[in-house]
Amino acid sequence: MTVFTDETRARAREIIARYPADRSRSALLPLLHLVQSEEGYVSPAGIAFCAEVLGLNKAQVGAVASFYTMYKRRPTGDWLVSVCTNTMCNVLGGQEVYDTLAEHLGVGHDETTADGTITLEHAECLAACDYGPVLTVNYDFFDKVDPQTAVGLVDELRAGGRPMPTRGARLCTLKEMSVQLAGFADEREGAVADGGPGEPTLRGLRLAEQHGISVPGFDPATPIKRRDAGEKPAPATPAKAAPTGSTAPDVKAPDDKSPQVRTAETRQPDAKTPAPDAPGTKVPVDGAAPAPREAQAAEAAGTAANPPAGDGKPAGDEAGAQERSLKEAQK
């Protein structure tokens, strides 16, 4: 069983301290990245560690770790190569890229090469359709790949190189990336240097400049002012409601308008259904309200017919019922 280092435990305390004392379980996500940065995946020992420091049970931690795909549940290589095989990338050759890499590396989906360097996986969508087909290495993009460039990429990784992504900073291993996702700075020299934007993104900016398109009133040179301590923020200006196509006059709703009336106005804001609060209109009612004595009698009758739930266990939790179910299943 893995014994986590003192540095990891100190970092865990630092992560937990970022959150209010009564909200410490919010630290679970960065803590899972932290244990992954030490082991290369979230092991049973990592699950137990997170449960220990947060006062949770292992089932609660395991439910979160198994939900998010960025938490790996078995040993993963230094380089996680994810190939998009969804619709757009597939049409452009993504499946061919994946199949070629699988054959070249001798592994399938979510499998790691014998030397432990590369884990290959399908990716349903990497949100980069305008750069397809794409693959990522530890979530950094390599755009417009083909089978040959993909093979050259993984060969360079296995040889110890760190090819530059098409967009973004320099590559880092899965463990180095997990440290960053846990909320700690990457201390490598030039870790966030180099890289550049993608051409389709720049194309949009150039078209905006060419046609004089800009955000009204936006000045990129405007400095961001820091609010002094004790200074109250300026009151927010209420946004104007979007036009609904209604021909009925706008009527300011009183604060005591019932939710039912608000819902009715929202669903039918047309000229044939005047706003109930408009001058000269009346809100229809279902009838006269019952007398207080009748209302009390109705409430008492409803309470008697619906006793509150008890704290006893459901019948299915009884030992006898469980034994009977097991015997019936074995027949």
Side-chain angles (χ1 to χ4, degrees):
M1 181 175 178
T2 301
V3 178
F4 290 94
T5 64
D6 292 338
E7 180 184 5
T8 299
R9 290 186 173 274
R11 282 181 162 177
R13 291 191 293 270
E14 182 179 340
I15 290 172
I16 295 171
R18 299 171 188 165
Y19 301 90
D22 60 342
R23 297 289 187 270
S24 61
R25 68 166 53 200
S26 299
L28 179 54
L29 296 182
L31 280 174
L32 288 169
H33 284 300
L34 181 67
V35 298
Q36 185 163 272
S37 73
E38 185 159 332
E39 296 188 285
Y41 72 114
V42 179
S43 68
I47 296 288
F49 174 80
C50 293
E52 172 196 342
V53 297
L54 291 177
L56 303 174
N57 61 52
K58 290 186 284 187
Q60 291 171 310
V61 178
V64 175
S66 59
F67 181 82
Y68 295 102
T69 59
M70 290 182 77
Y71 300 125
K72 301 305 175 184
R73 299 306 307 279
R74 55 184 179 180
T76 303
D78 290 334
W79 311 108
L80 175 66
V81 177
S82 311
V83 183
C84 182
T85 55
N86 212 326
T87 305
M88 182 59 71
C89 282
N90 198 354
V91 169
L92 296 172
Q95 186 65 50
E96 184 181 357
V97 171
Y98 175 85
D99 292 341
T100 300
L101 286 180
E103 181 178 358
H104 180 72
L105 297 172
V107 296
H109 171 66
D110 202 24
E111 294 181 351
T112 303
T113 55
D115 59 6
T117 58
I118 293 180
T119 298
L120 180 67
E121 69 174 6
H122 275 284
E124 275 304 306
C125 182
L126 295 177
C129 298
D130 47 349
Y131 297 97
V134 299
L135 63 79
T136 60
V137 177
N138 292 342
Y139 309 111
D140 279 315
F141 280 96
F142 290 83
D143 303 326
K144 299 187 183 300
V145 294
D146 56 39
Q148 291 70 36
T149 57
V151 168
L153 172 64
V154 297
D155 284 346
E156 185 175 352
L157 291 171
R158 299 180 81 178
R162 296 199 182 195
M164 181 60 63
T166 308
R167 294 172 285 132
R170 298 178 182 179
L171 284 183
C172 56
T173 65
L174 184 72
K175 291 183 178 180
E176 292 169 341
M177 177 198 69
S178 296
V179 171
Q180 298 172 39
L181 293 176
F184 298 95
D186 190 337
E187 302 296 341
R188 293 176 299 140
E189 182 180 357
V192 294
D194 301 319
E199 186 58 34
T201 303
L202 291 179
R203 176 62 177 160
L205 292 174
R206 293 189 183 109
L207 285 172
E209 292 178 353
Q210 178 182 347
H211 296 282
I213 301 172
S214 63
V215 179
F218 174 71
D219 181 6
T222 302
I224 300 175
K225 297 181 179 179
R226 176 178 293 179
R227 195 166 65 238
D228 296 333
E231 181 183 347
K232 295 182 179 180
T237 303
K240 293 183 179 179
T244 61
S246 170
T247 57
D250 292 334
V251 179
K252 185 178 180 181
D255 293 338
D256 58 351
K257 182 182 290 186
S258 70
Q260 292 84 353
V261 172
R262 294 182 188 277
T263 302
E265 291 179 7
T266 302
R267 291 178 176 173
Q268 285 189 314
D270 53 48
K272 296 179 181 179
T273 306
D277 293 329
T281 61
K282 295 181 180 180
V283 180
V285 294
D286 293 334
R293 188 171 298 175
E294 296 175 356
Q296 292 175 2
E299 182 178 355
T303 302
N306 296 279
D311 293 332
K313 291 184 177 180
D317 286 346
E318 297 176 359
Q322 292 180 355
E323 291 176 1
R324 287 194 299 272
S325 298
L326 288 173
K327 290 180 180 179
E328 290 175 0
Q330 292 171 355
K331 290 181 181 179

